[in-house]
Amino acid sequence: MKPVTKQLVWSVFVPASVGIVAAVLTCTAVMAFLPFSSSSKEEAKPHFVLPLKPHTPPVPVSPPLVRPQTVQTAPPPHLPPVQASPEAVNSMVAALPSFAPLVRQVIPAVVNISISHDPQDRDNSAEQEQDAASSTAEHAPAAPKKHHHTGAAHKKHRPLNHHHMARHHVVRPADDDMTGAGSGFVVDASGIIVTNRHVVGDATRVTVSLSDGRTLPARILGDDPMTDIAVIKVESATRLPCVTWGDSRQVEIGDWVMVAGNPFGFGSSVTAGIVSAVGRDLGIGALDDFMQLDAPINPGNSGGPSFNLRGQVVAVNAAIASPSDGSVGIGFGIPAEIVAPVVEEIEKTGHVEHGWLGVTLNDASSPMWVEDVDSDGAAWKGGLRRKDEILAMGSSAVHDARTVLRSVAAAHPGTVFVFTIRRHGQVKTLSITLGQRPSSDM
């Protein structure tokens, strides 16, 4: 090879070849690295991600009162329209519960109640309410497990800011003080109407609005402070639609209920829910046995009925637990088992008498024992003494003071209870005739 040619090869072609090979190797390395690098960057920070366009227009939060005509758009080609058979549609509709038949059956018997006071009566009412609050504080139990025979005294039975035990739940009557509105229901075609005592109170004028649009004056036949029940009557030229009582003892937690009434004075309204609990003790009185409902109950619903699915009244709406004046899903009704006998007695006599034992019971330990006895009470006259242990009433064993006090309060004066007690290790039976509950403790 000539010297010139040899020099050209080493100075030009060899470096060029080396450069080409290096370039190829570099490109290969870069191409091998790019997928990993790109993937890492995409995972760390997406590039140019665009929102997906929805196939259907967004649903408004609240539809307009007058719906505009809309253009029907074809469904996307990859989502063909679903064609439901008439049989499938009917099956789905049948599976959904409707309260409409129940509403048509019972709502004609539900009434709206409004009241008015003379200015002088209003002042007296406020004074009585203050006295009742003071009396309640004086008779409150000293400990959660100690049950006093006097319970809580209520002259008007309006626990506006009652705090239940240590939970500090504010329990309010479900009536509307601002509008003077409440609810009720007809239980006899002659015009007998049931409501809460705290709805009518000491009103000088009570007016009832019927479902047919008529407004009639009503007179108070009587009331019972202990159960917060009142009975009023209207005079009608025609017989009124009425409802019947159901057996509240058969109501189970989880059962459907429908509540009817006059919330916030809006007129006849219905809500639905389930029974959340039974046997609630709000600390208001000896007969506390409230049914807890999650159907919305608001001020103005007091005195209204709660129906089972057969259209029978199983409770009278009375109170709500709420930090405000509105429903939070915790309402309370007085079971029909308690209300029905009270209504019957008020119809006959105009008042209700409750049994009285005259003891202070302590159930902090088992068995419960007598902590104190009124010297002139029925228990003392029947032979019951301090430190006696209460084992049974009649043939039923009793383990808590609430059972004893509720049984006594639900009975009439003159009723005889046979108590089984243990005194100084010896078991005895005592026949005790109940006295009449003092009016100051109603």
Side-chain angles (χ1 to χ4, degrees):
M1 182 178 293
K2 295 181 178 181
V4 175
T5 304
K6 185 177 181 180
Q7 183 178 1
L8 181 63
V9 169
W10 284 103
S11 62
V12 176
F13 291 104
V14 172
S17 300
V18 173
I20 292 172
V21 172
V24 170
L25 293 176
T26 301
C27 292
T28 303
V30 170
M31 293 299 294
F33 178 76
L34 276 178
F36 173 79
S37 175
S38 175
S39 175
S40 299
K41 289 183 179 180
E42 286 177 358
E43 290 177 1
K45 184 177 180 181
H47 295 283
F48 305 105
V49 178
L50 298 178
L52 296 176
K53 185 177 180 180
H55 297 292
T56 57
V59 179
V61 175
S62 179
L65 294 178
V66 178
R67 297 176 184 271
Q69 186 175 358
T70 58
V71 178
Q72 296 294 331
T73 59
H78 61 283
L79 291 177
V82 179
Q83 298 291 339
S85 65
E87 293 78 9
V89 173
N90 292 336
S91 177
M92 288 187 293
V93 171
L96 298 175
S98 174
F99 290 89
L102 179 59
V103 172
R104 289 192 294 269
Q105 174 187 343
V106 301
I107 206 65
V110 181
V111 303
N112 304 328
I113 298 175
S114 59
I115 63 172
S116 61
H117 296 272
D118 288 339
Q120 183 177 358
D121 293 333
R122 188 179 297 273
D123 294 339
N124 293 337
S125 173
E127 193 174 318
Q128 287 182 349
E129 193 168 310
Q130 185 176 0
D131 293 342
S134 301
S135 181
T136 302
E138 292 171 1
H139 292 83
K145 293 294 286 184
K146 183 187 294 183
H147 296 256
H148 198 282
H149 68 282
T150 57
H154 294 275
K155 292 185 179 179
K156 199 181 175 187
H157 199 80
R158 292 175 61 86
L160 287 175
N161 290 291
H162 173 73
H163 296 274
H164 177 39
M165 293 187 181
R167 300 185 183 90
H168 301 292
H169 296 320
V170 181
V171 179
R172 306 170 184 271
D175 64 347
D176 194 340
D177 286 331
M178 296 181 63
T179 62
S183 307
F185 54 99
V186 183
V187 293
D188 189 275
S190 63
I192 303 296
I193 297 171
V194 177
T195 186
N196 281 138
R197 181 179 184 266
H198 73 253
V199 170
V200 294
D202 56 354
T204 56
R205 184 167 56 194
V206 180
T207 304
V208 171
S209 299
L210 304 178
S211 61
D212 59 11
R214 288 184 293 166
T215 300
L216 302 175
R219 58 188 177 92
I220 301 176
L221 296 183
D223 58 49
D224 179 31
M226 176 160 286
T227 57
D228 191 24
I229 294 298
V231 180
I232 62 178
K233 190 177 189 308
V234 296
E235 301 297 336
S236 173
T238 59
R239 294 179 65 80
L240 301 179
C242 59
V243 290
T244 59
W245 298 107
D247 189 352
S248 58
R249 295 170 298 181
Q250 301 299 319
V251 174
E252 297 185 47
I253 297 174
D255 282 351
W256 280 103
V257 287
M258 186 184 77
V259 170
N262 182 25
F264 293 108
F266 276 117
S268 183
S269 299
V270 296
T271 57
I274 62 170
V275 177
S276 303
V278 295
R280 290 297 196 202
D281 183 0
L282 303 184
I284 296 175
L287 279 174
D288 276 17
D289 191 36
F290 289 93
M291 188 183 297
Q292 182 181 328
L293 313 172
D294 78 341
I297 298 175
N298 288 289
N301 275 120
S302 268
S306 289
F307 296 100
N308 59 21
L309 294 184
R310 291 181 292 276
Q312 301 168 323
V313 179
V314 293
V316 177
N317 310 320
I320 57 176
S322 174
S324 63
D325 288 331
S327 171
V328 293
I330 304 178
F332 301 98
I334 309 169
E337 175 191 7
I338 294 175
V339 180
V342 170
V343 172
E344 183 179 359
E345 190 167 349
I346 290 177
E347 286 187 67
K348 293 179 180 178
T349 66
H351 65 280
V352 181
E353 295 182 346
H354 295 278
W356 179 254
L357 195 57
V359 294
T360 302
L361 302 178
N362 192 318
D363 56 6
S365 59
S366 181
M368 80 184 84
W369 51 279
V370 178
E371 187 172 286
D372 197 9
V373 186
D374 288 354
S375 58
D376 57 348
W380 180 270
K381 295 176 182 178
L384 203 59
R385 298 294 182 264
R386 293 181 68 250
K387 303 300 182 181
D388 286 348
E389 297 175 345
I390 307 294
L391 305 178
M393 293 178 67
S395 58
S396 301
V398 290
H399 305 284
D400 60 277
R402 183 178 173 225
T403 300
V404 176
L405 300 183
R406 287 189 66 249
S407 302
V408 169
H412 287 84
T415 303
V416 177
F417 276 105
V418 177
F419 283 82
T420 302
I421 68 166
R422 182 163 52 214
R423 180 185 299 168
H424 305 307
Q426 295 183 347
V427 176
K428 299 182 177 182
T429 58
L430 301 175
S431 296
I432 301 177
T433 303
L434 300 184
Q436 182 174 345
R437 180 173 292 267
S439 58
S440 61
D441 199 69
M442 298 291 275

